PDB file of all heavy atoms in Angstrom:
ATOM      1  N   GLU A 189     -16.467  -9.770 -15.625  1.00  0.00           N
ATOM      2  CA  GLU A 189     -17.134  -8.650 -16.344  1.00  0.00           C
ATOM      3  C   GLU A 189     -16.566  -8.436 -17.709  1.00  0.00           C
ATOM      4  O   GLU A 189     -17.189  -8.108 -18.639  1.00  0.00           O
ATOM      5  CB  GLU A 189     -17.168  -7.406 -15.577  1.00  0.00           C
ATOM      6  CG  GLU A 189     -18.192  -7.341 -14.446  1.00  0.00           C
ATOM      7  CD  GLU A 189     -18.669  -5.866 -14.165  1.00  0.00           C
ATOM      8  OE1 GLU A 189     -18.595  -5.097 -14.958  1.00  0.00           O
ATOM      9  OE2 GLU A 189     -19.213  -5.700 -12.954  1.00  0.00           O
ATOM     10  N   ALA A 190     -15.109  -8.615 -17.850  1.00  0.00           N
ATOM     11  CA  ALA A 190     -14.566  -8.357 -19.070  1.00  0.00           C
ATOM     12  C   ALA A 190     -15.005  -9.537 -20.042  1.00  0.00           C
ATOM     13  O   ALA A 190     -15.185  -9.271 -21.262  1.00  0.00           O
ATOM     14  CB  ALA A 190     -13.014  -8.459 -18.987  1.00  0.00           C
ATOM     15  N   MET A 191     -15.114 -10.706 -19.601  1.00  0.00           N
ATOM     16  CA  MET A 191     -15.616 -11.861 -20.373  1.00  0.00           C
ATOM     17  C   MET A 191     -16.953 -11.551 -20.829  1.00  0.00           C
ATOM     18  O   MET A 191     -17.310 -11.741 -22.005  1.00  0.00           O
ATOM     19  CB  MET A 191     -15.462 -13.138 -19.576  1.00  0.00           C
ATOM     20  CG  MET A 191     -14.206 -13.681 -19.161  1.00  0.00           C
ATOM     21  SD  MET A 191     -14.317 -15.034 -17.907  1.00  0.00           S
ATOM     22  CE  MET A 191     -15.309 -16.103 -18.733  1.00  0.00           C
ATOM     23  N   ALA A 192     -17.895 -11.115 -20.017  1.00  0.00           N
ATOM     24  CA  ALA A 192     -19.260 -10.794 -20.348  1.00  0.00           C
ATOM     25  C   ALA A 192     -19.266  -9.584 -21.276  1.00  0.00           C
ATOM     26  O   ALA A 192     -20.078  -9.734 -22.281  1.00  0.00           O
ATOM     27  CB  ALA A 192     -20.054 -10.449 -19.055  1.00  0.00           C
ATOM     28  N   GLN A 193     -18.434  -8.653 -21.130  1.00  0.00           N
ATOM     29  CA  GLN A 193     -18.409  -7.506 -22.004  1.00  0.00           C
ATOM     30  C   GLN A 193     -17.920  -7.869 -23.379  1.00  0.00           C
ATOM     31  O   GLN A 193     -18.423  -7.381 -24.441  1.00  0.00           O
ATOM     32  CB  GLN A 193     -17.587  -6.311 -21.450  1.00  0.00           C
ATOM     33  CG  GLN A 193     -17.613  -5.091 -22.190  1.00  0.00           C
ATOM     34  CD  GLN A 193     -18.956  -4.355 -22.023  1.00  0.00           C
ATOM     35  OE1 GLN A 193     -19.380  -4.147 -20.838  1.00  0.00           O
ATOM     36  NE2 GLN A 193     -19.606  -4.088 -23.139  1.00  0.00           N
ATOM     37  N   ALA A 194     -16.965  -8.856 -23.454  1.00  0.00           N
ATOM     38  CA  ALA A 194     -16.453  -9.275 -24.714  1.00  0.00           C
ATOM     39  C   ALA A 194     -17.531 -10.008 -25.599  1.00  0.00           C
ATOM     40  O   ALA A 194     -17.679  -9.778 -26.866  1.00  0.00           O
ATOM     41  CB  ALA A 194     -15.238 -10.175 -24.518  1.00  0.00           C
ATOM     42  N   LEU A 195     -18.323 -10.750 -24.811  1.00  0.00           N
ATOM     43  CA  LEU A 195     -19.480 -11.530 -25.613  1.00  0.00           C
ATOM     44  C   LEU A 195     -20.501 -10.525 -25.988  1.00  0.00           C
ATOM     45  O   LEU A 195     -21.055 -10.587 -27.174  1.00  0.00           O
ATOM     46  CB  LEU A 195     -20.089 -12.638 -24.761  1.00  0.00           C
ATOM     47  CG  LEU A 195     -21.139 -13.426 -25.444  1.00  0.00           C
ATOM     48  CD1 LEU A 195     -20.561 -14.201 -26.534  1.00  0.00           C
ATOM     49  CD2 LEU A 195     -21.791 -14.446 -24.399  1.00  0.00           C
ATOM     50  N   PHE A 196     -20.832  -9.548 -25.119  1.00  0.00           N
ATOM     51  CA  PHE A 196     -21.875  -8.520 -25.474  1.00  0.00           C
ATOM     52  C   PHE A 196     -21.399  -7.830 -26.636  1.00  0.00           C
ATOM     53  O   PHE A 196     -22.191  -7.553 -27.621  1.00  0.00           O
ATOM     54  CB  PHE A 196     -22.046  -7.595 -24.320  1.00  0.00           C
ATOM     55  CG  PHE A 196     -23.100  -6.589 -24.572  1.00  0.00           C
ATOM     56  CD1 PHE A 196     -24.431  -6.765 -24.325  1.00  0.00           C
ATOM     57  CD2 PHE A 196     -22.642  -5.342 -25.055  1.00  0.00           C
ATOM     58  CE1 PHE A 196     -25.374  -5.771 -24.655  1.00  0.00           C
ATOM     59  CE2 PHE A 196     -23.574  -4.364 -25.354  1.00  0.00           C
ATOM     60  CZ  PHE A 196     -24.938  -4.543 -25.030  1.00  0.00           C
ATOM     61  N   LYS A 197     -20.166  -7.301 -26.721  1.00  0.00           N
ATOM     62  CA  LYS A 197     -19.645  -6.569 -27.814  1.00  0.00           C
ATOM     63  C   LYS A 197     -19.677  -7.387 -29.186  1.00  0.00           C
ATOM     64  O   LYS A 197     -20.107  -6.840 -30.156  1.00  0.00           O
ATOM     65  CB  LYS A 197     -18.163  -6.163 -27.590  1.00  0.00           C
ATOM     66  CG  LYS A 197     -17.547  -5.244 -28.674  1.00  0.00           C
ATOM     67  CD  LYS A 197     -16.146  -4.838 -28.237  1.00  0.00           C
ATOM     68  CE  LYS A 197     -15.468  -3.932 -29.279  1.00  0.00           C
ATOM     69  NZ  LYS A 197     -15.202  -4.565 -30.515  1.00  0.00           N
ATOM     70  N   SER A 198     -19.356  -8.629 -29.020  1.00  0.00           N
ATOM     71  CA  SER A 198     -19.319  -9.425 -30.294  1.00  0.00           C
ATOM     72  C   SER A 198     -20.786  -9.532 -30.876  1.00  0.00           C
ATOM     73  O   SER A 198     -20.982  -9.484 -32.056  1.00  0.00           O
ATOM     74  CB  SER A 198     -18.804 -10.855 -29.920  1.00  0.00           C
ATOM     75  OG  SER A 198     -18.852 -11.651 -31.086  1.00  0.00           O
ATOM     76  N   TRP A 199     -21.770  -9.880 -29.958  1.00  0.00           N
ATOM     77  CA  TRP A 199     -23.067 -10.117 -30.440  1.00  0.00           C
ATOM     78  C   TRP A 199     -23.902  -8.759 -30.702  1.00  0.00           C
ATOM     79  O   TRP A 199     -24.681  -8.795 -31.601  1.00  0.00           O
ATOM     80  CB  TRP A 199     -23.841 -10.888 -29.294  1.00  0.00           C
ATOM     81  CG  TRP A 199     -23.474 -12.362 -29.314  1.00  0.00           C
ATOM     82  CD1 TRP A 199     -22.360 -12.927 -29.811  1.00  0.00           C
ATOM     83  CD2 TRP A 199     -24.174 -13.321 -28.536  1.00  0.00           C
ATOM     84  NE1 TRP A 199     -22.354 -14.285 -29.499  1.00  0.00           N
ATOM     85  CE2 TRP A 199     -23.418 -14.528 -28.712  1.00  0.00           C
ATOM     86  CE3 TRP A 199     -25.244 -13.459 -27.759  1.00  0.00           C
ATOM     87  CZ2 TRP A 199     -23.817 -15.811 -28.109  1.00  0.00           C
ATOM     88  CZ3 TRP A 199     -25.673 -14.552 -27.152  1.00  0.00           C
ATOM     89  CH2 TRP A 199     -24.898 -15.757 -27.385  1.00  0.00           C
ATOM     90  N   PHE A 200     -23.837  -7.813 -29.912  1.00  0.00           N
ATOM     91  CA  PHE A 200     -24.668  -6.645 -29.960  1.00  0.00           C
ATOM     92  C   PHE A 200     -24.118  -5.344 -30.331  1.00  0.00           C
ATOM     93  O   PHE A 200     -24.721  -4.301 -30.405  1.00  0.00           O
ATOM     94  CB  PHE A 200     -25.426  -6.492 -28.657  1.00  0.00           C
ATOM     95  CG  PHE A 200     -26.158  -7.781 -28.235  1.00  0.00           C
ATOM     96  CD1 PHE A 200     -25.776  -8.595 -27.097  1.00  0.00           C
ATOM     97  CD2 PHE A 200     -27.296  -8.230 -28.982  1.00  0.00           C
ATOM     98  CE1 PHE A 200     -26.485  -9.667 -26.796  1.00  0.00           C
ATOM     99  CE2 PHE A 200     -27.990  -9.419 -28.703  1.00  0.00           C
ATOM    100  CZ  PHE A 200     -27.538 -10.188 -27.518  1.00  0.00           C
ATOM    101  N   VAL A 201     -22.740  -5.258 -30.469  1.00  0.00           N
ATOM    102  CA  VAL A 201     -22.142  -4.009 -31.015  1.00  0.00           C
ATOM    103  C   VAL A 201     -21.403  -4.252 -32.276  1.00  0.00           C
ATOM    104  O   VAL A 201     -21.692  -3.603 -33.281  1.00  0.00           O
ATOM    105  CB  VAL A 201     -21.095  -3.543 -30.003  1.00  0.00           C
ATOM    106  CG1 VAL A 201     -20.299  -2.336 -30.486  1.00  0.00           C
ATOM    107  CG2 VAL A 201     -21.679  -3.264 -28.660  1.00  0.00           C
ATOM    108  N   ASP A 202     -20.612  -5.283 -32.423  1.00  0.00           N
ATOM    109  CA  ASP A 202     -19.966  -5.655 -33.769  1.00  0.00           C
ATOM    110  C   ASP A 202     -20.871  -6.499 -34.642  1.00  0.00           C
ATOM    111  O   ASP A 202     -20.608  -6.637 -35.780  1.00  0.00           O
ATOM    112  CB  ASP A 202     -18.591  -6.547 -33.437  1.00  0.00           C
ATOM    113  CG  ASP A 202     -17.603  -5.645 -32.749  1.00  0.00           C
ATOM    114  OD1 ASP A 202     -17.616  -4.387 -32.900  1.00  0.00           O
ATOM    115  OD2 ASP A 202     -16.714  -6.214 -32.020  1.00  0.00           O
ATOM    116  N   PHE A 203     -21.869  -7.220 -33.970  1.00  0.00           N
ATOM    117  CA  PHE A 203     -22.892  -8.022 -34.717  1.00  0.00           C
ATOM    118  C   PHE A 203     -22.158  -9.120 -35.524  1.00  0.00           C
ATOM    119  O   PHE A 203     -22.550  -9.510 -36.560  1.00  0.00           O
ATOM    120  CB  PHE A 203     -23.731  -7.168 -35.650  1.00  0.00           C
ATOM    121  CG  PHE A 203     -24.471  -6.078 -35.020  1.00  0.00           C
ATOM    122  CD1 PHE A 203     -24.277  -4.755 -35.543  1.00  0.00           C
ATOM    123  CD2 PHE A 203     -25.186  -6.294 -33.956  1.00  0.00           C
ATOM    124  CE1 PHE A 203     -24.995  -3.755 -34.902  1.00  0.00           C
ATOM    125  CE2 PHE A 203     -25.922  -5.273 -33.365  1.00  0.00           C
ATOM    126  CZ  PHE A 203     -25.846  -3.981 -33.909  1.00  0.00           C
ATOM    127  N   VAL A 365     -29.037  -7.374 -17.056  1.00  0.00           N
ATOM    128  CA  VAL A 365     -27.600  -7.716 -17.446  1.00  0.00           C
ATOM    129  C   VAL A 365     -27.335  -7.110 -18.895  1.00  0.00           C
ATOM    130  O   VAL A 365     -26.265  -6.465 -19.052  1.00  0.00           O
ATOM    131  CB  VAL A 365     -27.297  -9.171 -17.365  1.00  0.00           C
ATOM    132  CG1 VAL A 365     -25.952  -9.506 -18.034  1.00  0.00           C
ATOM    133  CG2 VAL A 365     -27.321  -9.712 -15.943  1.00  0.00           C
ATOM    134  N   PHE A 366     -28.154  -7.293 -19.751  1.00  0.00           N
ATOM    135  CA  PHE A 366     -28.039  -6.736 -21.159  1.00  0.00           C
ATOM    136  C   PHE A 366     -27.730  -5.257 -21.095  1.00  0.00           C
ATOM    137  O   PHE A 366     -26.797  -4.757 -21.697  1.00  0.00           O
ATOM    138  CB  PHE A 366     -29.223  -7.104 -22.024  1.00  0.00           C
ATOM    139  CG  PHE A 366     -29.251  -6.443 -23.402  1.00  0.00           C
ATOM    140  CD1 PHE A 366     -28.685  -7.201 -24.425  1.00  0.00           C
ATOM    141  CD2 PHE A 366     -29.835  -5.227 -23.590  1.00  0.00           C
ATOM    142  CE1 PHE A 366     -28.699  -6.603 -25.703  1.00  0.00           C
ATOM    143  CE2 PHE A 366     -29.838  -4.668 -24.838  1.00  0.00           C
ATOM    144  CZ  PHE A 366     -29.264  -5.364 -25.916  1.00  0.00           C
ATOM    145  N   PHE A 367     -28.636  -4.531 -20.320  1.00  0.00           N
ATOM    146  CA  PHE A 367     -28.589  -3.099 -20.308  1.00  0.00           C
ATOM    147  C   PHE A 367     -27.404  -2.585 -19.543  1.00  0.00           C
ATOM    148  O   PHE A 367     -26.635  -1.562 -19.930  1.00  0.00           O
ATOM    149  CB  PHE A 367     -29.775  -2.420 -19.838  1.00  0.00           C
ATOM    150  CG  PHE A 367     -29.860  -0.969 -19.983  1.00  0.00           C
ATOM    151  CD1 PHE A 367     -29.992  -0.411 -21.239  1.00  0.00           C
ATOM    152  CD2 PHE A 367     -29.836  -0.068 -18.909  1.00  0.00           C
ATOM    153  CE1 PHE A 367     -30.110   1.061 -21.404  1.00  0.00           C
ATOM    154  CE2 PHE A 367     -29.816   1.355 -19.045  1.00  0.00           C
ATOM    155  CZ  PHE A 367     -29.930   1.894 -20.302  1.00  0.00           C
ATOM    156  N   TYR A 368     -26.974  -3.278 -18.597  1.00  0.00           N
ATOM    157  CA  TYR A 368     -25.747  -2.872 -17.764  1.00  0.00           C
ATOM    158  C   TYR A 368     -24.545  -3.038 -18.591  1.00  0.00           C
ATOM    159  O   TYR A 368     -23.775  -2.133 -18.615  1.00  0.00           O
ATOM    160  CB  TYR A 368     -25.609  -3.821 -16.593  1.00  0.00           C
ATOM    161  CG  TYR A 368     -24.327  -3.744 -15.824  1.00  0.00           C
ATOM    162  CD1 TYR A 368     -23.986  -2.558 -15.121  1.00  0.00           C
ATOM    163  CD2 TYR A 368     -23.326  -4.738 -16.004  1.00  0.00           C
ATOM    164  CE1 TYR A 368     -22.729  -2.494 -14.399  1.00  0.00           C
ATOM    165  CE2 TYR A 368     -22.079  -4.625 -15.364  1.00  0.00           C
ATOM    166  CZ  TYR A 368     -21.798  -3.557 -14.526  1.00  0.00           C
ATOM    167  OH  TYR A 368     -20.576  -3.372 -14.004  1.00  0.00           O
ATOM    168  N   LEU A 369     -24.361  -4.088 -19.341  1.00  0.00           N
ATOM    169  CA  LEU A 369     -23.206  -4.314 -20.279  1.00  0.00           C
ATOM    170  C   LEU A 369     -23.348  -3.147 -21.460  1.00  0.00           C
ATOM    171  O   LEU A 369     -22.235  -2.768 -21.874  1.00  0.00           O
ATOM    172  CB  LEU A 369     -23.211  -5.743 -20.897  1.00  0.00           C
ATOM    173  CG  LEU A 369     -22.950  -6.756 -19.808  1.00  0.00           C
ATOM    174  CD1 LEU A 369     -23.131  -8.156 -20.508  1.00  0.00           C
ATOM    175  CD2 LEU A 369     -21.504  -6.657 -19.306  1.00  0.00           C
ATOM    176  N   TYR A 370     -24.539  -2.802 -21.912  1.00  0.00           N
ATOM    177  CA  TYR A 370     -24.697  -1.846 -22.918  1.00  0.00           C
ATOM    178  C   TYR A 370     -24.144  -0.464 -22.456  1.00  0.00           C
ATOM    179  O   TYR A 370     -23.389   0.281 -23.039  1.00  0.00           O
ATOM    180  CB  TYR A 370     -26.091  -1.752 -23.285  1.00  0.00           C
ATOM    181  CG  TYR A 370     -26.516  -0.728 -24.368  1.00  0.00           C
ATOM    182  CD1 TYR A 370     -25.874  -0.918 -25.658  1.00  0.00           C
ATOM    183  CD2 TYR A 370     -27.241   0.402 -24.049  1.00  0.00           C
ATOM    184  CE1 TYR A 370     -26.351   0.026 -26.702  1.00  0.00           C
ATOM    185  CE2 TYR A 370     -27.502   1.255 -25.016  1.00  0.00           C
ATOM    186  CZ  TYR A 370     -26.941   1.217 -26.337  1.00  0.00           C
ATOM    187  OH  TYR A 370     -27.340   2.022 -27.173  1.00  0.00           O
ATOM    188  N   LEU A 371     -24.571  -0.110 -21.073  1.00  0.00           N
ATOM    189  CA  LEU A 371     -23.963   1.168 -20.565  1.00  0.00           C
ATOM    190  C   LEU A 371     -22.491   1.183 -20.549  1.00  0.00           C
ATOM    191  O   LEU A 371     -21.921   2.329 -20.559  1.00  0.00           O
ATOM    192  CB  LEU A 371     -24.550   1.360 -19.128  1.00  0.00           C
ATOM    193  CG  LEU A 371     -26.123   1.726 -18.980  1.00  0.00           C
ATOM    194  CD1 LEU A 371     -26.572   1.721 -17.491  1.00  0.00           C
ATOM    195  CD2 LEU A 371     -26.248   3.115 -19.621  1.00  0.00           C
ATOM    196  N   ASN A 372     -21.852   0.026 -20.287  1.00  0.00           N
ATOM    197  CA  ASN A 372     -20.332  -0.051 -20.155  1.00  0.00           C
ATOM    198  C   ASN A 372     -19.699  -0.263 -21.558  1.00  0.00           C
ATOM    199  O   ASN A 372     -18.471  -0.330 -21.517  1.00  0.00           O
ATOM    200  CB  ASN A 372     -20.051  -1.154 -19.261  1.00  0.00           C
ATOM    201  CG  ASN A 372     -20.259  -0.748 -17.718  1.00  0.00           C
ATOM    202  OD1 ASN A 372     -19.405  -0.129 -17.166  1.00  0.00           O
ATOM    203  ND2 ASN A 372     -21.317  -1.166 -17.279  1.00  0.00           N
ATOM    204  N   SER A 373     -20.376  -0.248 -22.623  1.00  0.00           N
ATOM    205  CA  SER A 373     -19.797  -0.343 -23.954  1.00  0.00           C
ATOM    206  C   SER A 373     -19.150   0.979 -24.271  1.00  0.00           C
ATOM    207  O   SER A 373     -19.512   2.018 -23.934  1.00  0.00           O
ATOM    208  CB  SER A 373     -20.771  -0.811 -24.994  1.00  0.00           C
ATOM    209  OG  SER A 373     -21.762   0.173 -25.216  1.00  0.00           O
ATOM    210  N   ASN A 374     -18.139   0.866 -25.164  1.00  0.00           N
ATOM    211  CA  ASN A 374     -17.518   2.052 -25.745  1.00  0.00           C
ATOM    212  C   ASN A 374     -18.442   3.058 -26.413  1.00  0.00           C
ATOM    213  O   ASN A 374     -18.385   4.217 -26.197  1.00  0.00           O
ATOM    214  CB  ASN A 374     -16.350   1.730 -26.611  1.00  0.00           C
ATOM    215  CG  ASN A 374     -15.156   1.096 -25.926  1.00  0.00           C
ATOM    216  OD1 ASN A 374     -14.921   1.269 -24.725  1.00  0.00           O
ATOM    217  ND2 ASN A 374     -14.386   0.284 -26.592  1.00  0.00           N
ATOM    218  N   VAL A 402     -31.410   2.193 -27.696  1.00  0.00           N
ATOM    219  CA  VAL A 402     -31.000   0.833 -27.352  1.00  0.00           C
ATOM    220  C   VAL A 402     -31.318  -0.110 -28.423  1.00  0.00           C
ATOM    221  O   VAL A 402     -32.522  -0.142 -28.904  1.00  0.00           O
ATOM    222  CB  VAL A 402     -31.620   0.251 -26.034  1.00  0.00           C
ATOM    223  CG1 VAL A 402     -30.992  -1.071 -25.675  1.00  0.00           C
ATOM    224  CG2 VAL A 402     -31.431   1.289 -24.923  1.00  0.00           C
ATOM    225  N   VAL A 403     -30.395  -0.766 -29.125  1.00  0.00           N
ATOM    226  CA  VAL A 403     -30.689  -1.801 -30.215  1.00  0.00           C
ATOM    227  C   VAL A 403     -31.120  -3.089 -29.394  1.00  0.00           C
ATOM    228  O   VAL A 403     -30.306  -3.715 -28.774  1.00  0.00           O
ATOM    229  CB  VAL A 403     -29.309  -2.058 -31.036  1.00  0.00           C
ATOM    230  CG1 VAL A 403     -29.610  -3.138 -32.046  1.00  0.00           C
ATOM    231  CG2 VAL A 403     -28.886  -0.852 -31.741  1.00  0.00           C
ATOM    232  N   PRO A 405     -32.549  -6.995 -29.510  1.00  0.00           N
ATOM    233  CA  PRO A 405     -32.864  -8.015 -30.376  1.00  0.00           C
ATOM    234  C   PRO A 405     -34.228  -8.642 -29.990  1.00  0.00           C
ATOM    235  O   PRO A 405     -34.973  -8.176 -29.072  1.00  0.00           O
ATOM    236  CB  PRO A 405     -31.826  -9.078 -29.780  1.00  0.00           C
ATOM    237  CG  PRO A 405     -31.608  -8.660 -28.389  1.00  0.00           C
ATOM    238  CD  PRO A 405     -31.791  -7.227 -28.332  1.00  0.00           C
ATOM    239  N   LEU A 410     -32.360 -12.402 -26.896  1.00  0.00           N
ATOM    240  CA  LEU A 410     -32.125 -11.877 -25.559  1.00  0.00           C
ATOM    241  C   LEU A 410     -32.206 -12.918 -24.461  1.00  0.00           C
ATOM    242  O   LEU A 410     -31.214 -12.906 -23.626  1.00  0.00           O
ATOM    243  CB  LEU A 410     -33.187 -10.749 -25.215  1.00  0.00           C
ATOM    244  CG  LEU A 410     -33.056 -10.037 -23.955  1.00  0.00           C
ATOM    245  CD1 LEU A 410     -31.751  -9.319 -23.876  1.00  0.00           C
ATOM    246  CD2 LEU A 410     -34.148  -9.048 -23.653  1.00  0.00           C
ATOM    247  N   PHE A 413     -28.960 -14.946 -24.523  1.00  0.00           N
ATOM    248  CA  PHE A 413     -27.815 -14.226 -23.964  1.00  0.00           C
ATOM    249  C   PHE A 413     -27.809 -14.206 -22.476  1.00  0.00           C
ATOM    250  O   PHE A 413     -26.844 -14.383 -21.883  1.00  0.00           O
ATOM    251  CB  PHE A 413     -27.853 -12.727 -24.558  1.00  0.00           C
ATOM    252  CG  PHE A 413     -26.739 -11.891 -23.977  1.00  0.00           C
ATOM    253  CD1 PHE A 413     -25.363 -12.170 -24.422  1.00  0.00           C
ATOM    254  CD2 PHE A 413     -26.957 -10.897 -23.057  1.00  0.00           C
ATOM    255  CE1 PHE A 413     -24.361 -11.377 -23.964  1.00  0.00           C
ATOM    256  CE2 PHE A 413     -26.000 -10.130 -22.542  1.00  0.00           C
ATOM    257  CZ  PHE A 413     -24.694 -10.448 -23.006  1.00  0.00           C
ATOM    258  N   MET A 417     -25.156 -15.479 -19.564  1.00  0.00           N
ATOM    259  CA  MET A 417     -24.594 -14.575 -18.631  1.00  0.00           C
ATOM    260  C   MET A 417     -24.828 -14.995 -17.202  1.00  0.00           C
ATOM    261  O   MET A 417     -24.180 -14.533 -16.217  1.00  0.00           O
ATOM    262  CB  MET A 417     -25.082 -13.059 -18.820  1.00  0.00           C
ATOM    263  CG  MET A 417     -24.699 -12.542 -20.130  1.00  0.00           C
ATOM    264  SD  MET A 417     -22.836 -12.266 -20.286  1.00  0.00           S
ATOM    265  CE  MET A 417     -22.312 -13.611 -21.129  1.00  0.00           C
TER     266      MET A 417
END
Side-chain angles (χ1 to χ4, degrees):
E189 281 209 23
M191 291 167 54
Q193 190 68 55
L195 184 63
F196 179 88
K197 182 176 183 292
S198 176
W199 286 13
F200 303 113
V201 178
D202 295 333
F203 305 126
V365 168
F366 174 87
F367 189 68
Y368 170 72
L369 292 169
Y370 180 67
L371 284 173
N372 283 279
S373 67
N374 288 335
V402 186
V403 178
L410 178 62
F413 177 73
M417 293 296 100

